[in-house]
Amino acid sequence: MTPLSAPNCSMNPLAVAAWSMMTPLGEDDATIDALLEQRSGFSPQTSPWKLRNALAAVVPTRPSHAARGGQWQRWLATSVARKALVTRSIDPQRAGDRCAFVFATSYGHLIDDPGSDTMSTWAKDVVRSVGCDLEPIVVGSGCSSGSDALGVAAALLDCGTIDTAIVVAVDIVTAAKRIAHSTLGTMAASYPRPFDIRRSGMLLGEAAAAVVLMRSEDCAESSGELVGIGASNDAFGLTSPDPSGLSVRLALDRALLAAGLSYGDLALYLAHGTGTQLNDDLEAKVVAEVFADNEALTIVGTKGALGHSLGACGLIEFILLLQMLKRQLAPATVGLSDPVTSIAARFPGPGGRRLSGPYGVSVTLGFGGFNTALIARG
């Protein structure tokens, strides 16, 4: 497959004016620091049901008043959204209809603790909690939800509909999700080992993140830029990716076209890297092919330390991509000791690896064939 050549597919750079995140390894910069130190966020989580693995990566700072899943989902989203807004001194109420909230989750708490909630009621409550009465947009595209929410926000900014977008992604570990992945056989037998020849699956994690996006010309100071977005959907299967890799490559081609870059310009590939046999095989195959002439490309996977936060992982990993590019340093992939041969040389060792340039890409491969690539400039 050759890159697309349509003349109107470029996008204007968008500034990350502010960001915040909460993960099993801490808040904000604490997460990237922990990754560089090779720490893991997994701990045993009790379950009345027999599971393939008792481990999960949960955010440790859960308040007592957020005992139910819906309360926890709201608390996490409100916390990161409020911090990002305060960091930038943004009052969305005063911004009026020139501001938009875009939320992302997979199912959040809704399978276990639905109550009267829908896919949007919890998001509406979060917007009210930060002092605004705007109607939120909620994106649900499985594991690509966080990445696709950035895409929706970028489209609104790029066409001039709004001036500021607050993108919030959150997903939580619940009993139903653990049972589902244990039954599907996608749950790891021990610790996850992304891209390792002995990998046996993924483990769930939870996380929340918020990003404030603005057009770069309107933002005097930023944490980096979103410069390209590409997406595709192969609809190959409910849980299995298209083994040809063509749809993943299409998402990458589209993102590079939007950014006006080539595969040789990228210094870092932040992988989806679930640790499952099929996903990692496919991703390794695509990376080996498309970056064959880019020997400097470095690969990092973070789910071996953070778990798979489903609808939140795309936004979390985009923030981590930016932080690695800003530091010009990529950490080793936690859990990886014997990488698959085709891309083995691209993974940093325990001390990390210096990067060769300011551009990188994060990729999400969601259930149902949702593939999204985000290109950042640090």
Side-chain angles (χ1 to χ4, degrees), residues 276-298:
T276 59
Q277 290 292 335
L278 293 177
N279 261 320
D280 284 13
D281 273 348
L282 169 66
E283 203 166 5
K285 165 187 164 71
V286 172
V287 170
E289 290 174 353
V290 301
F291 293 103
D293 296 328
N294 182 352
E295 295 182 358
L297 181 85
T298 294

Side-chain angles (χ1 to χ4, degrees), residues 193-205:
R193 297 171 172 269
F195 297 106
D196 198 283
I197 59 175
R198 294 174 293 171
R199 65 192 183 277
S200 62
M202 52 82 88
L203 290 179
L204 287 169

Side-chain angles (χ1 to χ4, degrees), residues 307-332:
H308 192 345
S309 56
L310 304 177
C313 73
L315 194 60
I316 290 288
E317 289 163 3
F318 175 72
I319 293 172
L320 291 173
L321 174 70
L322 281 175
Q323 298 314 299
M324 294 174 198
L325 291 172
K326 293 289 279 188
R327 299 183 186 206
Q328 281 292 285
L329 181 63

Side-chain angles (χ1 to χ4, degrees), residues 46-173:
T46 58
S47 171
W49 295 277
K50 185 177 181 180
L51 302 174
R52 192 179 189 201
N53 194 320
L55 296 172
V58 299
V59 175
T61 54
R62 186 166 183 164
S64 58
H65 63 78
R68 295 183 65 86
Q71 296 166 330
W72 183 222
Q73 178 99 355
R74 287 167 167 81
W75 188 87
L76 285 169
T78 301
S79 297
V80 292
R82 184 174 287 133
K83 181 181 278 191
L85 291 169
V86 168
T87 298
R88 195 65 188 182
S89 300
I90 292 173
D91 181 353
Q93 187 64 44
R94 295 181 65 182
D97 60 4
R98 301 299 298 171
C99 177
F101 282 85
V102 185
F103 286 76
T105 193
S106 60
Y107 286 105
H109 61 290
L110 292 173
I111 302 175
D112 303 71
D113 179 30
S116 59
D117 273 354
T118 67
M119 281 294 286
S120 62
T121 48
W122 66 274
K124 292 179 182 178
D125 289 344
V126 173
V127 175
R128 305 300 178 268
S129 295
V130 298
C132 185
D133 60 6
L134 291 171
E135 288 295 308
I137 299 168
V138 182
V139 177
S141 53
C143 305
S144 286
S145 300
S147 300
D148 291 340
L150 276 173
V152 170
L156 292 170
L157 285 161
D158 204 39
C159 70
T161 302
I162 59 171
D163 297 323
T164 304
I166 302 96
V167 182
V168 181
V170 58
D171 231 323
I172 61 176
V173 171

Side-chain angles (χ1 to χ4, degrees), residues 227-231 250-261 361 373-375:
V227 299
I229 301 171
L250 179 58
L252 285 164
D253 284 348
R254 286 172 168 168
L256 287 165
L257 183 63
L261 299 173
V361 61
L374 304 171
I375 296 180

